[in-house]
Every structure is written in structure tokens, then in C-alpha cells.
Amino acid sequence: MNSVPSPTVDVNAGGHRVAELTIADMRRVVSERIAPLRPQPVPTHAAMGAALAEPLRPQSVFPPADTSAMDGFAVSGPGPWHVLDGAVTAGSERPRPLADGTATVIATGALVPPMTSFVLRRENARQLWGGRLVDVAGRRPGIGNDIRRRGENWTLDCVLARAGTVVGPAVMSAALTAERTTLTVRGPLRAQVVITGDEISTADGLRPGQTRDSLGPVLPTWLRDIGYAQTATEYRSDREFRDDSIVASADAPVIFVVGGTGHGASDHLRSVLHRLGAEIIADRILCRPAGSQLLALLPDGRVIVGIPGNPLAAVTAIMTTGRAVAHSLLGISVAPVRGRLTAAVRSGTGPARIYPAVQRADGAWDIDPCTRTAHLAGLINRTALAVVEGSGPSPTAEIIRFHAM
Ligand SMILES: Nc1nc2c(c(=O)[nH]1)N[C@H]1C(S)=C(S)[C@@H](COP(=O)(O)OP(=O)(O)OC[C@H]3O[C@@H](n4cnc5c(N)ncnc54)[C@H](O)[C@@H]3O)O[C@H]1N2
Ligand code: MOO
């Protein structure tokens, strides 16, 4: 929609042009201008994708009591043992103490009765004539007793995860094991996606001139991958986008506006930003695709990322600028990772080139130099973007992986 040049919308809030930024400069500006979210207590089960604002310390030692590590018999004293009636199952409270010379059936995870010497695994136990139990493994007392001792995994002074760690399934699960019912975190980060453009259609059957929306259903997956745990998506025609208050009213710290970043007749993002008193902090990034990105701050601190409409450019913008914004808001720092390429490539003296990439068995990355931007077919079976910068032939590139896929 921006094929018709327009002299009317080259505007930004301060009235002066903001320089095009390299990717490194964009990351620096983002970390300087976008402050981390305020830490807040969040129920542990609702904290997926947030970042720990404090080290994760246990609320309870683990295991909280001596428990059996195996199905078998809790035995007291040297054998053979007389097996008592009944069984100690997981979930039973306070089993009675075991008298010397006796044994009781016990289940994995059950509390070990006081006076237990060790747990005899079922496969190492035989009952003699008359019912007496013996240990056929001939264990030495105290060795491999198959009892999980209270606090042997962690005590209250342990740190299970450092501040800045993103809450994934392992962190959440460990926190629950440690009886942490709330966590002090930044996030979970929410994003509003606004897909603009008169030509974009989600309805059955395309009319001439329409373009199938190939981003709305998939952007939340990419966004979740880089730290936006919750996403809401809205569609607006160009005029609706220009006239309504979706950007003003969006209830999310980050608003991704898809399309309209250019200077074409229907590209209204700049004028909307101007009207809302936003400060543009990056106007174009020196990269291809996704050069036509805008990064702006609303007066209340919400961040607007204007991403190009071409689908591969949109994903590239999200994986570079969108990712840097998420890291800043979550208060985490992620050092760029470099990878070896299967063949040296030259980006030339111009902008950084960003290519779909996939890792070979030997660890080197194959890149696709000829990918088109109007669709995402070039990302099928690819697991990363490779960022190539510098004028000479480069044998390595920054690798930005897609973790969720
Ligand atoms: N005179 C110039 N024109 C353009 C330039 C330029 O440098 N000078 N850059 C081109 C590049 S590269 C890109 S990328 C686009 C960026 O334009 P916008 O951000 O304003 O995006 P639109 O014009 O709205 O859309 C571009 C393209 O993408 C299609 N699109 C948009 N949304 C979707 C969607 N949800 N699903 C599928 N496809 C979508 C849209 O129909 C357009 O074809 O500007 C170029 N022009
Ligand atoms: O930025 Mo366009 O993003 O090269 O397709």
C-alpha cells in the first residue's frame, strides 16, 4: 500500500530527523531509553515468561521430610525382618516408628517411619518360609539406603535461579517444588499487535487487490518466543488506524504496528505517532530486510514498534528490535551468539543482511541469501536468522534462534 510516494508524512515528534541506526546502536538506544518494568509479585503458576526480579530462593527445604526413593520395604535393624501388616503409601501422614527387626511395605514418595534403617527395594527383597524378609543384595548399612533425606536437594539458603532468569517450565516447576507460591518478577510481558492495511483480509476468498493476512495467526508464536507471554491482535483499515485511538488506548506496554512504516500514501504510523506526542527513537534500522522500522515512546512510556508489512521483514523486525525491547523491559541481558557459516558471505558496505538459517550436523549454519520477503516460506525448516555485517567476506554471523519452533 505504500507504492505511491507522499510528501506529507515524513514527520516525527521532535521535528528533527532521527538517524538510521545500526543493529548495535538500536540495542544500545533500547537499553538506554526503555527502562525495565517495575517488579511485582505474581502467583507462580501465572509467571510463565516473566523474568525473576530477585534470585529464586526456596520457601521450604527439599525434600521436606525423609521419604522413600523406591517401592519396597522400610526395615529397622539388621535382617531378617518380620513384615508388619499394612503399608505406608505416599500421602499417608506420620507413620508409626518401626520396631527393631520389623519391616513395613513402603511406596516411593512415602514418609519413612522413624527408626527406619534403610529402604529395601522390592526387587532385592525375598520372603523366607515363615514370612521373614531378607535382603538378597547384601547391602552394607548406610550405603545406598534409598531414603531421600530431608533437605538433601536444597536448604533455605540455596539460590535455585539467578535474578534475570526467565520463568520457563523448569523454573516454574522448581519454584513450586520449593513451595514458592508467588514470585517477584518483571512481566509476564504483554503486547498489542495492530495489523493495518486496507488490502489485508482474513475473510474467505480474496477479492482482486486483497492480500491474505499471513501474519496475524503466527506473530503471537514468534512474540512468545522472544519474551512476550501474552498477545492480543487487532485489525484496522488504514483510515481506521489513522483515525481511531487503538494506539492511544492499547493496554499493553508494547504495541506492534504491522505495516504503514513507509512513506507511502496510506502509511499513517508517523502521523499517528506525531498526534500522540510520541518520540521516535529509531527511524529505520540499517538492515535488510526490515530496514523500514520505527521505534517510538509514548509520553506514558509505552513502546511502539512499527514493523514492515512484508512478512519476512515483519518477523525479522520482531526478532531484532522486538527482542531487544523485550529484554530491556524484562531487565535481562542476552549476549549476542555467533555461529560459523558453511560458506563465507559478504554483506557489502551497506546495511546488515539478515538471512534465514539452519544448523548442519557439524554445527555450521547454512543460510539462504535469496529469500523473498512477501511470504514466510523461506523460514520453513529454518531455525534461526543469521545477521551478517561488515564489508569483507564473513565466515561467521550473529545467530538469533527461534526456540519455540
Ligand atoms: N519507495 C519505497 N517504497 C518501499 C520501500 C522503500 O524503501 N521505498 N521499502 C519497501 C519495503 S522493503 C518494505 S518491507 C515495505 C514496508 O512498508 P510498510 O511497513 O509501510 O508496510 P505496508 O506497505 O503496509 O506493507 C508492505 C507489504 O506487506 C504486505 N502485508 C502487510 N501486512 C500483511 C499481513 N498481515 N499479511 C500479509 N502481508 C502483509 C502488504 O500487503 C504489502 O504488500 O515498503 C516497501 N516499499
Ligand atoms: O524491509 Mo523490506 O523489509 O526489505 O522487505
Side-chain angles (χ1 to χ4, degrees):
M1 73 192 173
N2 64 352
S3 54
V4 183
S6 159
T8 58
V9 285
D10 187 9
V11 179
N12 69 67
H16 53 82
R17 271 203 70 79
V18 177
E20 278 182 280
L21 301 179
T22 62
I23 292 176
D25 283 341
M26 174 276 290
R27 287 177 175 151
R28 184 181 47 73
V29 166
V30 164
S31 73
E32 285 171 7
R33 298 298 311 276
I34 300 177
L37 297 170
R38 202 166 325 127
Q40 54 173 353
V42 169
T44 300
H45 61 83
M48 194 69 87
L52 297 175
E54 300 172 344
L56 173 58
R57 293 181 194 280
Q59 191 73 40
S60 157
V61 305
F62 189 77
D66 293 357
T67 51
S68 177
M70 296 288 164
D71 294 324
F73 298 85
V75 301
S76 183
W81 301 275
H82 168 70
V83 181
L84 303 173
D85 288 341
V88 187
T89 52
S92 351
E93 288 179 34
R94 296 181 208 283
R96 293 221 302 278
L98 268 186
D100 192 23
T102 65
T104 183
V105 171
I106 194 164
T108 304
L111 291 175
V112 166
M115 312 300 293
T116 297
S117 305
F118 64 93
V119 168
L120 176 58
R121 300 180 186 198
R122 209 163 49 83
E123 52 273 37
N124 292 339
R126 294 284 180 280
Q127 277 188 280
L128 304 174
W129 284 105
R132 293 252 160 183
L133 191 72
V134 291
D135 176 3
V136 294
R139 123 193 3 253
R140 283 178 294 146
I143 308 287
N145 64 15
D146 284 335
I147 295 174
R148 292 187 185 135
R149 291 290 177 200
R150 173 182 152 81
E152 75 175 19
N153 292 170
W154 61 70
T155 49
L156 294 181
D157 53 354
C158 287
V159 170
L160 298 176
R162 288 192 299 270
T165 306
V166 172
V167 179
V171 171
M172 182 183 286
S173 178
L176 293 169
T177 303
E179 284 298 300
R180 287 294 306 266
T181 52
T182 61
L183 297 173
T184 304
V185 292
R186 297 191 164 91
L189 190 50
R190 288 173 297 116
Q192 174 74 60
V193 174
V194 185
I195 294 184
T196 68
D198 296 346
E199 77 282 24
I200 305 304
S201 172
T202 58
D204 285 346
L206 284 187
R207 292 199 313 276
Q210 286 191 317
T211 298
R212 169 67 52 209
D213 169 39
S214 62
L215 285 172
V218 300
L219 287 188
T221 307
W222 260 288
L223 288 169
R224 199 174 318 115
D225 195 39
I226 56 167
Y228 299 89
Q230 296 155 19
T231 318
T233 304
E234 296 269 359
Y235 291 82
R236 292 291 185 273
S237 70
D238 291 313
R239 200 171 56 79
E240 285 167 350
F241 177 68
R242 190 192 63 201
D243 295 344
D244 89 357
S245 57
I246 173 84
V247 172
S249 62
D251 174 33
V254 186
I255 305 156
F256 288 93
V257 177
V258 181
T261 60
H263 296 257
S266 341
D267 294 331
H268 300 302
L269 179 55
R270 284 153 208 277
S271 47
V272 168
L273 294 178
H274 183 58
R275 195 178 70 226
L276 296 175
E279 180 190 0
I280 295 180
I281 58 174
D283 188 351
R284 299 190 61 84
I285 306 293
L286 282 163
C287 64
R288 264 236 241 30
S292 68
Q293 302 181 40
L294 273 178
L295 186 60
L297 297 178
L298 286 170
D300 63 7
R302 281 175 299 151
V303 181
I304 298 172
V305 190
I307 63 179
N310 278 320
L312 185 62
V315 171
T316 303
I318 281 174
M319 295 306 290
T320 50
T321 307
R323 186 166 168 266
V325 170
H327 291 170
S328 225
L329 289 169
L330 292 171
I332 61 181
S333 66
V334 178
V337 173
R338 294 196 73 79
R340 188 164 48 87
L341 302 176
T342 50
V345 278
R346 186 185 290 271
S347 91
T349 50
R353 302 303 306 247
I354 304 183
Y355 304 109
V358 65
Q359 197 166 25
R360 286 211 192 152
D362 69 356
W365 291 83
D366 257 338
I367 60 167
D368 303 313
C370 302
T371 315
R372 301 305 178 121
T373 60
H375 55 74
L376 290 187
L379 287 181
I380 293 174
N381 292 330
R382 301 296 180 266
T383 54
L385 292 177
V387 183
V388 179
E389 281 177 285
S391 52
S394 176
T396 66
E398 184 190 343
I399 302 294
I400 304 175
R401 285 179 188 265
F402 314 140
H403 295 100
M405 287 160 275

